[in-house]
Amino acid sequence: MRERSTKAAESKPSTLRYASLAAALTLSVSAAHADAAADALAPAGRWEGNTSGSASTPPMGWSSWNAFRTEVDEAKVIGAAQVLVDRGLAKLGYTQINIDDGWWLKRRTSDGRLQIRTNIFPSAATGGPDGTSFKPFTDKLHAMGLKAGIYTDIGRNACSQAYDLHSPNLPQGTTAEREVGLEGHVAQDINLYFKEWGFDYVKIDACGLADFLPGSDLVKQQNYRAAAPLIERGSINRTDIGAVRARYEAVLEALKAARPANDYVLSICAWGMANVRTWGKDVGNLWRTSADITSSWTSMLHNFDSAAKRPLYAGPGHWNDPDILHIGHGAFDAANPVEVRSHFSLWAMINAPLLVSYDLRNGPASLLDVLGNADVVRLNQDKAGHQGVVTYDSDDAQIIVKTLGAGERKAVALFNRGASPAPITLLASHLKLSSSAPVTLRDLWSKKSMTFSGEQAFTLAPHETLVFEASGKRQLENGVYLSEIPGSINVAVDGTRQPQLDPTVHRMIDPWSNTRSGGARPQYAGWGGAQADTTPYGQTLQVAGQVFDSGLGVLSNSRLQVKNDGGYGLMTASVGVDDSTENTRQPVRFYIYGDGKLLAQSAPARFGAKAHRMTAKVAGVKVIELVVRGSKADDAAPVVATWGDAQLTRAAR
Ligand code: GLA
C-alpha cells in the first residue's frame, strides 16, 4: 500500500531486513537455498559494531534549539560559544556548537545549492557565484577551539515548515526553493556541509518523512509537495522501517566519502520512531530515542526513560540520545536547583549527549556551575563508555549504576522521581560490591565522602538525585559480569520479530495535544530487546527458581558480541529458559563463540529445567559471541533466555 519513494528502499526487503532480523532469518533459513551466509545467528568472528564517525565519548556542547527555536542568529551562537570558552566549559569538553532549524533561506533551483539566511548569519554573505557560505562562521568556531554542527532533514522539508509556521525564518520562495531537506540532494548537501563549509556534525531530522501528507491542510495551504509518509507517527506497523533506515544509510555513505578521515558526527533525529532505538547504533553516532524534551519535569522523565533501559545499545561511538538538555528553562531554571542537578546527573549517568541549550550570554552563574561540575562530566565522558544500568526500578525511585573504566570504580545515582520525599536504601550488592567489606561513597555534588558496609539508607527530597562515585571490594575480584560492561557489547541480532512498543516510558500529558489524543500510548519500538540484569521484558532473571542478580536477558534467535579487551581468559554463565517466558513449549540452545569458532554449546534447554553451566576459554580471543537458537517457526513467540551470572574472569581455567 505504501509507496516506497527511494531507490535505496526499493532495492532492499526493508521491513524484513531491518525491523525484525529474526523474522528475516526465519524466511531465509526456511527457503530452499538458504546458506550459512544468510544465517544472521552465525558468528561474524569480528566486531560488527559501527565504527564510523568520531564520537568516542558522548558529544558535549551547545545547541540553539531550546534557547531560540528558529530565531537563531550568528551573534547568539557565537555569544554562547564565547561563554563556553571564557568560563572554562570548553576545556571541560563542551566544544560542539550546533545550529538547529532556521538557518536556511532557500535551495537555489539553478544548481540545487542551499542559500543561507544572511540577515541572521551576516558572515555568510560571501557573494560571488556561490552566493552564501558558512565557511567564515565555521572558521571562527574552529579558531576558538570548537566544532561546528548543522541541521537538516532527511526528507524534502524540515520540521519548522510543519510546526513553526509563524517563524520569520522559514525557507522562502517557490515550492522547489523551499525543499531544503536532503531528499534528492544527499551527496550535494553533505559535500557542501562537510567539504566546503567545514562542519563537523550534522543532525538530521525526519519531519519530511512524516508530516507532509497528501491532501493535508498543511500541504495545501503552504503549497508543499506531498509525501506519502514513511514514518506514521501513530503506527509502527505502518512505518516503513527499512526505507527510513536506508535513507540514513545513504547519508552515512555520503559522509564517509566526504570525510574519509572519519571526522564527522551523524546525529539521527527520528524521535524514537521507526525502531531507531534498535538500529540507530549501526548507522549513526547518536539517535534520538523519544519526542522533543520540554521544560516540564514529566517530559524529562519521559525522555530519560526512553534511553535509560537501552544500555546494551550504546557504547563508544554510538549513544542513545534522549534530547538536548532543557536546563535554564521552566522546571529546570535557576529557581529549581534540585531539578537542574537531577536532569544533568541523569543525562551524565546514561551517557546522553550533554548539549546545553539556553542563552548562555544571560545565564545565571548557578547554572554554569552545574554544567561545570567536572566530576559529573567525567562520569559521562568516561572512555570505557558503559551506560548506567537501572539496577533498582520503580515509578517512584530508581538506582542507576555505571561502571567506570574496566570496573575498578562505579558511579551510582539515587533518583527520586516523585513529588514526595523518598526513602532509598543503597546496597553494596546494587554496586556489585561485596557486602562484607567497606564501601566508600563520594558525593559528586557536595564533595563529601562516607563509608558503609552492607547497606546505607538515604531520604531524598522530591525530585532529588544523589550521585556518588563508589569504591569497595568487587563481588568479582578477578573479573566482570557482562552486565557491568554494556559499552563492550554489541547487540548484533536481538531476536525480536515484529517491533513492539515499549510500555515502560513515563506517560506524560502530551505537551502538544494535551488530553485531545486519547491518552499517552507507548510510541517507541524496542520492547523485547536485550537487557542487562533483567529479562527483555523487565523481569528478574530466573531459571527454574534460581534467581540471578547479574546476567544478560535475551530472546531466542539472538546474537550478542562482547569485546574481550580486558584480556580475560574464561567466560562462564549459567544458562536456561527464563521462568518468565511466554513461550514455554520450545527448547533453545546456547552457544559461545570466540573469534568465530565454537567454544561451547548447551544441550537443548527447556522451560522448567535447571540452569546449565557453560564455560569457554577465551584467552587471546578478541570478540566473543553469545548465540541463542530457538524455533524458527513464524508463529512461535520468542523464548526468553537467560545468560545468568555471565562473566569474564582472568582465571585461565
Ligand atoms: C524537531 C526536532 C527538534 C528540533 C526541531 C526543529 O522537532 O526533534 O529537536 O530540531 O525539529 O524544527
Side-chain angles (χ1 to χ4, degrees):
M1 284 223 319
R2 172 164 308 109
E3 281 176 27
R4 298 248 163 82
S5 57
T6 62
K7 281 226 159 77
E10 276 159 19
S11 67
K12 292 181 175 170
S14 55
T15 306
L16 283 176
R17 171 150 178 197
Y18 298 121
S20 169
L21 283 165
L25 173 81
T26 305
L27 289 188
S28 57
V29 169
S30 60
H33 28 260
D35 57 14
D39 179 3
L41 300 183
R46 64 183 169 82
W47 183 249
E48 290 177 302
N50 178 12
T51 54
S52 63
S54 323
S56 59
T57 58
M60 289 176 67
W62 184 86
S63 157
S64 61
W65 184 248
N66 283 344
F68 303 115
R69 290 189 76 95
T70 57
E71 286 173 48
V72 56
D73 70 35
E74 191 163 357
K76 290 170 178 167
V77 181
I78 298 295
Q82 197 62 56
V83 173
L84 291 180
V85 172
D86 293 347
R87 297 297 302 259
L89 292 169
K91 274 214 185 78
L92 264 187
Y94 292 92
T95 54
Q96 184 63 56
I97 308 296
N98 294 342
I99 51 174
D100 208 281
D101 208 343
W103 61 265
W104 29 35
L105 181 66
K106 65 176 179 184
R107 187 181 290 284
R108 194 161 72 182
T109 41
S110 57
D111 58 358
R113 190 183 172 93
L114 285 162
Q115 298 294 310
I116 301 156
R117 186 175 277 282
T118 53
N119 64 324
I120 53 175
F121 285 95
S123 77
T126 47
D130 291 341
T132 60
S133 171
F134 264 131
K135 192 73 186 14
F137 172 77
T138 63
D139 280 349
K140 182 156 194 176
L141 289 174
H142 290 149
M144 294 167 79
L146 303 171
K147 292 189 168 163
I150 192 164
Y151 166 92
T152 183
D153 195 281
I154 194 76
R156 292 189 199 110
N157 296 97
C159 293
S160 59
Q161 294 177 298
Y163 296 109
D164 283 76
L165 296 175
H166 57 277
S167 167
N169 295 331
L170 288 182
Q172 289 175 4
T174 63
T175 297
E177 285 172 328
R178 287 179 291 132
E179 291 182 354
V180 291
L182 288 172
E183 187 168 320
H185 299 272
V186 171
Q188 178 178 27
D189 290 359
I190 292 299
N191 283 338
L192 182 67
Y193 298 158
F194 284 84
K195 285 173 98 161
E196 283 194 48
W197 288 351
F199 282 99
D200 309 287
Y201 179 118
V202 64
K203 167 178 166 181
I204 306 182
D205 224 327
C207 287
L209 303 187
D211 298 321
F212 298 84
L213 309 179
S216 63
D217 289 348
L218 174 70
V219 162
K220 283 192 263 180
Q221 284 160 13
Q222 301 297 318
N223 199 18
Y224 294 131
R225 199 153 37 129
L230 296 182
I231 296 177
E232 276 204 29
R233 288 179 182 271
S235 172
I236 186 67
N237 284 346
R238 287 171 56 79
T239 289
D240 194 337
I241 294 167
V244 176
R245 175 172 170 157
R247 294 287 188 104
Y248 283 99
E249 283 180 332
V251 175
L252 175 60
E253 290 315 308
L255 279 165
K256 285 179 179 168
R259 288 287 184 93
N262 228 13
D263 51 345
Y264 58 83
V265 174
L266 170 55
S267 162
I268 298 175
C269 183
W271 338 284
M273 301 280 157
N275 205 21
V276 68
R277 298 198 313 163
T278 301
W279 57 261
K281 69 183 174 64
D282 298 317
V283 182
N285 302 113
L286 59 159
W287 55 95
R288 283 275 301 281
T289 51
S290 62
D292 293 7
I293 194 167
T294 71
S295 60
S296 80
W297 178 254
T298 56
S299 163
M300 192 279 291
L301 289 181
H302 175 95
N303 283 41
F304 173 70
D305 289 352
S306 72
K309 309 280 182 63
R310 310 287 294 170
L312 293 175
Y313 291 79
H318 53 282
W319 310 105
N320 288 305
D321 175 8
D323 206 359
I324 48 183
L325 295 162
H326 227 315
I327 288 172
H329 309 118
F332 309 101
D333 67 10
N336 294 288
V338 171
E339 284 77 6
V340 170
R341 285 197 298 270
S342 278
H343 183 7
F344 189 66
S345 304
L346 294 168
W347 260 232
M349 286 293 292
I350 62 166
N351 292 351
L354 298 179
L355 294 166
V356 185
S357 195
Y358 74 97
D359 187 353
L360 286 173
R361 299 168 307 174
N362 306 312
S366 65
L367 295 183
L368 293 177
D369 289 346
V370 168
L371 304 172
N373 185 327
D375 285 323
V376 177
V377 167
R378 186 164 43 81
L379 304 184
N380 177 264
Q381 296 290 302
D382 185 72
K383 292 246 175 323
H386 302 306
Q387 177 172 327
V389 172
V390 178
T391 188
Y392 174 79
D393 194 21
S394 74
D395 292 339
D396 298 329
Q398 290 171 311
I399 299 176
I400 303 135
V401 175
K402 181 180 192 328
T403 297
L404 302 172
E408 55 287 351
R409 284 166 303 117
K410 294 282 171 99
V412 56
L414 313 182
F415 175 31
N416 179 5
R417 299 165 64 97
S420 317
I424 300 182
T425 299
L426 175 66
L427 309 183
S429 59
H430 287 135
L431 296 155
K432 303 198 193 298
L433 295 177
S434 161
S435 301
S436 50
V439 175
T440 302
L441 297 179
R442 178 165 174 263
D443 184 321
L444 300 187
W445 290 108
S446 75
K447 314 294 182 191
K448 289 188 185 136
S449 292
M450 60 177 296
T451 300
F452 73 93
S453 275
E455 60 180 64
Q456 175 68 44
F458 297 87
T459 301
L460 271 69
H463 296 175
E464 187 177 23
T465 302
L466 293 175
V467 188
F468 302 100
E469 199 166 315
S471 54
K473 185 173 163 215
R474 291 177 49 76
Q475 279 178 358
L476 281 188
E477 282 189 276
N478 202 20
V480 285
Y481 290 110
L482 296 186
S483 57
E484 293 184 276
I485 53 165
S488 298
I489 295 177
N490 177 43
V491 182
V493 182
D494 71 7
T496 57
R497 291 175 185 258
Q498 200 59 23
Q500 285 182 277
L501 300 175
D502 184 341
T504 67
V505 176
H506 179 81
R507 302 195 300 158
M508 65 192 161
I509 297 173
D510 188 287
W512 299 279
S513 65
N514 191 265
T515 55
R516 291 174 204 93
S517 63
R521 294 180 173 131
Q523 298 172 59
Y524 314 126
W527 186 232
Q531 289 288 358
D533 293 345
T534 78
T535 73
Y537 302 118
Q539 299 296 322
T540 301
L541 297 172
Q542 182 177 309
V543 177
Q546 184 181 2
V547 169
F548 296 99
D549 290 335
S550 297
L552 300 177
V554 298
L555 299 179
S556 50
N557 295 319
S558 61
R559 177 166 61 89
L560 308 189
Q561 302 193 307
V562 184
K563 265 190 200 167
N564 185 25
D565 41 16
Y568 295 107
L570 196 68
M571 150 103 212
T572 61
S574 293
V575 302
V577 172
D578 196 272
D579 288 349
S580 67
T581 190
E582 176 195 341
N583 181 343
T584 53
R585 300 179 313 282
Q586 263 119 3
V588 296
R589 287 183 83 157
F590 295 76
Y591 302 82
I592 302 176
Y593 296 87
D595 292 338
K597 291 198 199 79
L598 183 64
L599 302 178
Q601 63 182 316
S602 74
R606 292 184 177 276
F607 170 71
K610 279 203 156 92
H612 168 79
R613 187 167 157 84
M614 291 178 79
T615 59
K617 289 185 179 169
V618 295
V621 164
K622 291 198 174 65
V623 177
I624 300 163
E625 288 177 87
L626 307 179
V627 172
V628 181
R629 287 184 186 268
S631 166
K632 298 182 181 82
D634 224 2
D635 56 355
V639 172
V640 177
T642 288
W643 293 92
D645 280 343
Q647 61 190 262
L648 288 167
T649 49
R650 281 184 218 289
R653 24 182 199 101

